[in-house]
């Protein structure tokens, strides 16, 4: 598609502002010969579903997209009023919901971009959770892409954002999740002319990787400040540089651009995640030289090692030349212009990030002289074990710049500030004779309390500044206001100038509204103060005593990623969770006897660091709280009675969906392939039943109030049994089911409300049925919840119509208008 144009193929509806939050990144450190070393990153479980084949794998990367590759199914949006389509087998109606976010507070974000001409206009992009805009009234974040549903799930992967300096209402994002086989679709440019309230989509002829390596580089998408009809986009996968001259409607390849990039993070990666070319990394305009047709000088960064990797044009793209090589062992991550100095500042690292990279530098390019100066902070040169990512230039104070360490895993990431163009630097913290650390900041994590702190100078157990800092920005209208993104949240402050006087600032977690967790499990017990408990990737899990205020994460033990949770039906104060930290020296099963308030390790589970496979998966607690059934990809299905050692259940295939009856203390269930498995004696013996119409089981859910009543979902729909799985009947109109949950019935003592991530009458999304015949669509045009197959559901057994919806990248939603 080097010439020609695309036309808008999707007009997206206005987004309703809501309150959200989220966070990311847990790491393992060891102490070797007096030195702390990053041993490995937290393993994240991916479940790949493609062409009816399912497998599990563990990656040392930040790939929370658990349903990373799937067949795309159409989603039709409901109207705000009730409507029905009737058949002999039931109806499908729609019902208006008021969706809100369960507040957790933060998670990984890669790009914070202020508009240079409109005060207070700022956008934040995430890798799997879409785009946000800053609410200047209270420093919260407004989600702008909650419309994304099953058909366009990969639009939550934001690889670049550009805010228009000429017409500030315009904003563009490059969307797409993966450039490998996990995402079958090409990427797109989404354009909004009302600051993200509505969107128009323009398709690209190649893939875009919002959750690929190097996603923190940028920005890859840029608008010409001298002619805002011109945009440039630096593509991945060897696709080079692309240009639009009609405000993003059509795109053509810049065929004379000389370099597509050569850096590949790991060519030997068997899963293909790290085997793609990272490509072009950023585009920066220098409007000091321009003509009537646009800016003449443009800089472009390229992910290459051992060769030139920054290019410029001085004639609006008619020709391109390489800048002198700054350091051929490093890749340019960010390139930001300082107009008052006539300089281009660049941060470099020897990897693409956000995980790799053990060396880096900061360069300053004198545009007039055409020469480089190495201005790397001396402390970083002495440390010599991390690269640089985040870069900010204060447009109000010439020569004031800030840079962030990208991969400084221990004891904490550092940020450096210079007020003289990089001649001298001051750090955010420094050693004062190990182990004493001088922190030149106060801490306010009230909006993300799971982050912990503050700590004494002698305590280095927590990373208070953050990690994987790829984005760092100073408000162009307020030199006191700064923001930066970490693997956990978005932080910053409003007293930045104190850095230069008292050398002490207040760092605050600005997590309000930002919810970007990848949810792996939810439960809503029949009793207890909290109606919801969650487990998530990267930051463990939570006892949500309030849905509107953040809380601390599960602790003692702490599992970075926690993949499964359940409660004992007859003893709901007893809760179990399972961690997914394969390198941990603690067993990965934890028990609570007080509804999840406090925890203890279940030593019946082997230590995974010395017993490979005993981590991750799902877990079921028998109704009487005496038996655990654990299903994982590493060890198949295991069982433990009365906290005795886990033993294999040979009768059930590895990776089976499992559940426990919530009333009958001896009944356990499992499903795999076309078969359902039931035990009437807490797992001693198992009965196998073939489920007609089912070939690939996905989930098992039970009636929380009645023994022996259960549902199995899969590729053939949803199947209902009232006799412990001896016989099944398919629910009408449903042809595919993923996660399902049972909650409070419409009438006391009646059939529980069933909630399903499913395909019903050809529509894929979120549904409820009160009578097992007629369906109510509860997703809508402003809340699509992303990929339906990755949704995690819990229905409230105490509140009719209340359902908790865990997403893969936008945290947890609940319908606040439930009865």
């Amino acid at each position: 598609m080097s010439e020609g144009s695309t036309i808008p193929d999707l007009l997206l509806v206005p987004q309703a502002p809501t309150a959200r939050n989220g966070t990311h990144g847990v790491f393992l450190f060891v102490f070797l010969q007096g030195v702390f070393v990053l041993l490995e990153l937290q393993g994240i479980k991916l479940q790949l579903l493609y062409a009816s084949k399912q497998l599990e794998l563990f990656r040392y990367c930040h790939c929370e997209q658990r349903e990373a590759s799937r067949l795309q199914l159409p989603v039709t949006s409901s109207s705000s009023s009730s409507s029905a389509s009737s058949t002999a087998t039931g109806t499908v109606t729609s019902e208006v919901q008021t969706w809100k976010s369960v507040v957790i507070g933060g998670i990984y974000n890669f790009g914070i971009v202020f508009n240079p001409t409109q005060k207070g206009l700022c956008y934040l992009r995430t890798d799997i959770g879409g785009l946000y805009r800053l609410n200047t009234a209270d420093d919260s974040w407004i989600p702008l892409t909650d419309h994304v549903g099953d058909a366009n799930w990969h639009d939550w992967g934001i690889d670049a954002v550009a805010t228009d300096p000429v017409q500030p209402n315009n904003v563009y994002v490059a969307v797409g999740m993966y450039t490998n086989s996990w995402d079958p679709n090409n990427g797109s440019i989404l354009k909004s002319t009302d600051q993200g309230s509505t969107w128009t989509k323009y398709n690209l002829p190649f893939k875009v990787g919002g959750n690929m390596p190097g996603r923190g580089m940028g920005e890859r998408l840029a608008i010409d400040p001298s002619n805002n009809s011109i945009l440039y986009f630096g593509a991945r996968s060897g696709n080079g540089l692309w240009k639009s001259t009609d405000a993003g409607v059509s795109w053509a390849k810049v065929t004379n651009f000389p370099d597509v990039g050569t850096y590949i993070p790991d060519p030997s990666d068997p899963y293909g995640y790290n085997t793609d070319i990272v490509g072009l990394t950023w585009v920066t305009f220098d409007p000091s030289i321009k003509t009537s047709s646009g800016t003449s000088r443009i800089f472009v960064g390229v992910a290459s090692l051992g060769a030139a990797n920054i290019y410029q044009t001085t004639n609006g793209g008619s020709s391109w030349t390489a800048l002198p090589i700054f350091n051929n062992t490093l890749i340019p991550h960010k390139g930001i212009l300082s107009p008052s100095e006539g300089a281009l500042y660049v941060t470099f690292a020897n990897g693409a990030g956000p995980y790799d990279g053990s060396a880096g530098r900061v360069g300053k390019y004198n545009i007039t002289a055409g020469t480089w100066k190495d201005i790397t902070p001396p402390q970083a040169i002495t440390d010599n074990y991390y690269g640089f990512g985040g870069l900010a230039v204060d447009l109000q104070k010439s020569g004031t710049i800030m840079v962030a360490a990208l991969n400084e895993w221990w004891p904490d990431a550092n940020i450096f500030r210079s007020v003289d163009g990089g001649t001298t630097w001051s750090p955010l913290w420094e050693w004062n004779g190990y182990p004493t650390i001088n922190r030149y900041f106060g801490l306010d994590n009230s909006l993300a309390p799971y982050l912990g702190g503050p700590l004494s100078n002698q305590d280095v157990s927590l990373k208070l500044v953050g990690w994987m800092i790829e984005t760092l920005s100073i408000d162009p209208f307020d030199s006191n206001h700064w923001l930066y993104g970490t693997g956990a949240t978005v932080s910053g402050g409003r007293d930045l100038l104190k850095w230069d006087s008292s050398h002490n600032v207040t760092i605050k977690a600005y997590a309000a509204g930002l919810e970007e967790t990848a949810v792996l499990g939810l439960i809503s017990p029949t009793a207890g103060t909290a109606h919801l408990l969650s487990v998530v990737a990267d930051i463990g899990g939570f006892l949500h005593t309030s849905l509107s205020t953040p809380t601390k994460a599960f602790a003692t033990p702490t599992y970075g990623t926690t993949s499964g949770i359940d409660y004992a039906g007859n003893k709901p104060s007893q809760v179990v969770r399972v961690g997914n930290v394969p390198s941990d020296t603690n067993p990965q099963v934890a028990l609570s006897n007080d509804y999840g308030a406090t925890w203890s390790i279940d030593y019946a589970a082997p230590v995974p660091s010395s017993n490979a496979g005993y981590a991750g998966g799902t877990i079921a607690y028998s109704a009487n709280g005496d038996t655990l059934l654990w299903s994982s990809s590493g060890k198949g299905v295991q069982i433990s009675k009365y906290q005795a050692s886990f033993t294999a259940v040979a009768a059930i295939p590895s990776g089976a969906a499992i559940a426990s009856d919530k009333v009958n203390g001896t009944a356990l269930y499992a499903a795999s392939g076309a078969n359902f498995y039931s035990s009437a004696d807490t797992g001693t013996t198992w009965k196998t039943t073939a489920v007609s119409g089912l070939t690939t089981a996905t989930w098992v859910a039970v009636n929380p109030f009645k023994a022996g009543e259960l549902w199995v979902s899969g590729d053939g729909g949803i199947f209902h049994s009232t006799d412990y799985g001896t016989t099944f009947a398919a629910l009408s109109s449903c042809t595919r089911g993923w996660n399902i949950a049972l909650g409070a019935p419409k009438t006391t003592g009646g059939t529980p409300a069933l909630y399903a991530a499913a395909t019903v009458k050809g529509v894929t999304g979120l549904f409820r049925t009160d009578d097992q015949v007629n369906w109510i669509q509860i997703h809508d045009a402003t809340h699509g919840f992303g990929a339906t197959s990755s949704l995690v559901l819990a229905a409230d057994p105490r509140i009719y119509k209340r359902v908790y919806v865990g997403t893969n990248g936008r945290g947890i939603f609940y319908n606040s208008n439930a009865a």
Side-chain angles (χ1 to χ4, degrees):
M1 187 178 153
S2 60
E3 58 185 14
S5 66
T6 61
I7 60 174
D9 66 352
L10 181 63
L11 181 63
L12 304 177
V13 298
Q15 303 305 296
T18 51
R20 316 292 195 260
N21 303 50
T23 52
H24 296 220
V26 176
F27 311 95
L28 176 70
F29 298 88
V30 294
F31 194 70
L32 297 175
Q33 298 180 341
V35 179
F36 276 90
V37 179
L38 176 71
L39 182 62
E40 66 179 357
L41 295 175
Q42 168 63 52
I44 304 295
K45 182 175 76 172
L46 291 80
Q47 291 179 326
L48 306 183
L49 180 62
Y50 184 67
S52 299
K53 293 183 179 180
Q54 190 170 358
L55 71 136
E56 289 184 339
L57 51 94
F58 293 90
R59 295 292 305 126
Y60 296 107
C61 63
H62 186 74
C63 308
E64 309 98 319
Q65 185 67 29
R66 296 183 300 117
E67 302 289 348
S69 185
R70 61 184 59 74
L71 298 175
Q72 297 301 289
L73 298 173
V75 172
T76 43
S77 300
S78 65
S79 63
S80 59
S81 60
S82 294
S83 61
S85 57
S86 300
T87 69
T89 56
T91 63
V92 178
T93 60
S94 61
E95 183 178 273
V96 177
Q97 308 293 316
T98 301
W99 294 106
K100 293 184 178 180
S101 279
V102 176
V103 174
I104 294 176
I107 209 91
Y108 206 3
N109 52 97
F110 289 91
I112 299 170
V113 179
F114 283 93
N115 187 282
T117 57
Q118 180 169 317
K119 184 177 181 180
L121 182 56
C122 178
Y123 295 94
L124 178 151
R125 66 179 174 91
T126 69
D127 51 0
I128 65 168
L131 184 73
Y132 295 79
R133 186 180 71 241
L134 181 66
N135 182 348
T136 56
D138 58 4
D139 284 329
S140 65
W141 297 95
I142 301 169
L144 302 176
T145 48
D146 281 355
H147 62 271
V148 171
D150 192 74
N152 57 340
W153 64 273
H154 80 172
D155 287 1
W156 272 354
I158 313 293
D159 207 15
V161 58
T163 176
D164 196 327
V166 180
Q167 294 175 283
N169 282 343
N170 294 344
V171 60
Y172 301 79
V173 289
V175 299
M177 198 67 72
Y178 299 104
T179 58
N180 64 357
S181 62
W182 299 349
D183 184 347
N185 296 323
N186 285 336
S188 306
I189 300 295
L190 302 186
K191 177 183 179 180
S192 174
T193 58
D194 50 18
Q195 297 184 10
S197 294
T198 61
W199 297 92
T200 304
K201 175 180 282 190
Y202 301 100
N203 292 330
L204 295 170
F206 48 80
K207 293 183 179 183
V208 172
N211 197 31
M212 291 295 287
R215 56 196 179 274
M217 295 173 168
E219 293 294 309
R220 291 176 166 88
L221 183 64
I223 303 166
D224 190 335
S226 304
N227 181 351
N228 68 334
S229 292
I230 295 175
L231 291 86
Y232 281 88
F233 177 60
R236 296 171 174 268
S237 312
N239 288 304
L241 184 65
W242 289 70
K243 180 180 181 180
S244 173
T245 59
D246 53 11
V249 175
S250 64
W251 292 83
K253 187 172 185 179
V254 180
T255 55
N256 67 342
F257 189 77
D259 198 348
V260 299
T262 59
Y263 181 74
I264 297 173
D266 181 5
S268 63
D269 178 5
Y271 305 113
Y273 179 73
N274 290 288
T275 59
D276 195 18
I277 294 173
V278 172
L280 278 56
T281 60
W282 47 263
V283 178
T284 298
F285 288 91
D286 176 8
S288 64
I289 301 178
K290 59 185 177 182
T291 67
S292 59
S293 61
T295 298
S296 298
R297 178 178 284 130
I298 310 165
F299 298 96
V300 178
V302 178
S304 293
L305 293 174
N309 53 23
I310 300 177
Y311 293 83
Q312 73 166 333
T313 177
T314 58
N315 51 26
S318 296
S319 62
W320 298 84
T321 58
L323 267 59
I325 295 174
F326 173 76
N327 185 318
N328 66 6
T329 67
L330 302 174
I331 298 170
H333 275 236
K334 302 280 186 179
I336 298 181
L337 188 75
S338 176
S340 62
E341 297 178 276
L344 177 72
Y345 289 99
V346 182
T347 50
F348 293 87
N350 65 347
Y355 308 104
D356 61 342
S358 57
R361 286 290 191 271
V362 181
K364 181 178 183 179
Y365 181 71
N366 185 313
I367 296 173
T368 301
T371 57
W372 284 101
K373 181 180 180 181
D374 189 333
I375 59 168
T376 307
Q379 180 175 325
I381 295 175
T382 300
D383 293 340
N384 194 33
Y385 65 92
Y386 49 82
F388 287 93
L391 169 64
V393 172
D394 190 336
L395 295 179
Q396 292 193 357
K397 294 184 175 296
S398 182
T400 297
I401 60 171
M402 298 174 70
V403 295
L406 174 60
N407 309 110
E408 189 174 8
W409 302 116
W410 185 88
D412 207 344
N414 213 335
I415 298 175
F416 302 89
R417 179 173 169 91
S418 174
V419 296
D420 53 16
T423 300
T424 61
W425 295 88
S426 58
L428 192 54
W429 65 265
E430 61 186 342
W431 291 112
N432 184 19
Y434 180 84
T436 302
I437 186 171
N438 289 344
R439 294 187 174 96
Y440 303 116
F441 60 91
L443 195 66
D444 179 359
N445 280 337
S446 57
L447 294 178
Y450 54 85
L451 292 176
L455 304 176
S456 68
N457 280 348
Q458 285 70 39
D459 191 342
V460 294
S461 62
L462 293 177
K463 296 172 70 63
L464 302 182
V465 179
W467 56 92
M468 298 187 296
I469 302 174
E470 281 273 35
T471 184
L472 171 65
S473 295
I474 300 173
D475 189 332
F477 293 91
D478 183 357
S479 296
N480 265 316
H481 184 207
W482 66 303
L483 295 169
Y484 68 94
T486 76
T489 190
V490 55
S491 295
R494 287 192 173 272
D495 61 356
L496 182 56
L497 292 179
K498 288 185 178 180
W499 191 314
D500 308 326
S501 54
S502 60
H503 196 188
N504 198 290
V505 296
T506 297
I507 295 178
K508 181 177 180 178
Y510 287 104
L514 177 61
E515 293 290 347
E516 205 247 345
T517 47
V519 182
L520 303 182
L522 300 173
I523 59 170
S524 183
T526 53
T529 302
H531 284 236
L532 177 68
L533 289 81
S534 66
V535 292
V536 301
D538 303 317
I539 55 173
F542 301 88
L543 174 69
H544 299 279
T545 53
S546 168
L547 301 178
S548 58
T549 57
T551 185
K552 291 185 177 181
F554 292 144
T556 317
T558 296
Y559 303 133
T561 288
T562 308
S563 58
I565 188 168
D566 196 19
Y567 71 97
N570 294 331
K571 299 179 179 180
S573 62
Q574 294 185 213
V575 186
V576 62
R577 59 187 168 100
V578 58
N580 186 14
V581 188
S583 57
D584 204 339
T585 55
N586 283 323
Q588 296 296 284
V589 177
L591 303 172
S592 173
N593 291 315
D594 53 11
Y595 298 97
T598 62
W599 297 85
S600 61
I601 293 175
D602 181 2
Y603 287 97
V607 172
S609 59
S610 54
N611 298 273
Y614 286 99
T618 58
I619 199 158
Y621 217 156
S622 67
N624 292 336
D626 53 30
T627 301
L628 295 174
L629 191 65
W630 182 8
S631 177
S632 70
S633 62
K635 285 296 179 180
V637 179
Q638 304 270 317
I639 195 167
S640 169
K641 299 181 181 181
Y642 304 101
Q643 293 189 266
S645 298
F646 278 90
T647 58
V649 180
I652 304 175
S654 178
I658 58 173
S660 61
D661 197 287
K662 293 305 176 193
V663 178
N664 185 329
T666 63
L668 299 173
Y669 308 119
S672 179
N675 292 327
F676 178 78
Y677 303 85
S678 60
S679 175
D681 50 16
T682 55
T684 300
T685 60
W686 292 85
K687 174 185 175 182
T688 303
T689 302
V691 182
S692 178
L694 178 71
T695 59
T696 304
T698 301
W699 200 256
V700 179
V702 302
N703 186 334
F705 312 108
K706 181 180 179 182
E709 186 171 23
L710 57 97
W711 292 256
V712 177
S713 66
D715 58 342
I718 299 174
F719 303 85
H720 179 207
S721 175
T722 59
D723 54 11
Y724 292 91
T726 300
T727 60
F728 284 91
L731 299 193
S732 65
S733 307
C734 179
T735 55
R736 181 65 169 97
W738 289 278
N739 204 284
I740 51 178
L742 282 300
K746 185 175 182 179
T747 57
T748 302
T751 302
L754 182 145
Y755 301 84
T759 300
V760 178
K761 290 187 179 294
V763 177
T764 297
L766 186 61
F767 297 86
R768 184 184 84 241
T769 177
D770 295 329
D771 58 10
Q772 310 292 303
V773 176
N774 301 295
W775 293 90
I776 302 165
Q777 179 180 311
I778 57 177
H779 70 272
D780 56 46
T782 58
H783 294 89
F785 305 117
T788 302
S789 58
S790 67
L791 295 184
V792 177
L793 307 179
D796 199 312
R798 292 176 271 177
I799 303 176
Y800 171 56
K801 292 187 179 181
R802 171 66 57 80
V803 63
Y804 306 97
V805 184
T807 68
N808 190 27
R810 266 293 284 121
I812 307 167
F813 291 90
Y814 71 101
N815 46 347
S816 63
N817 61 324

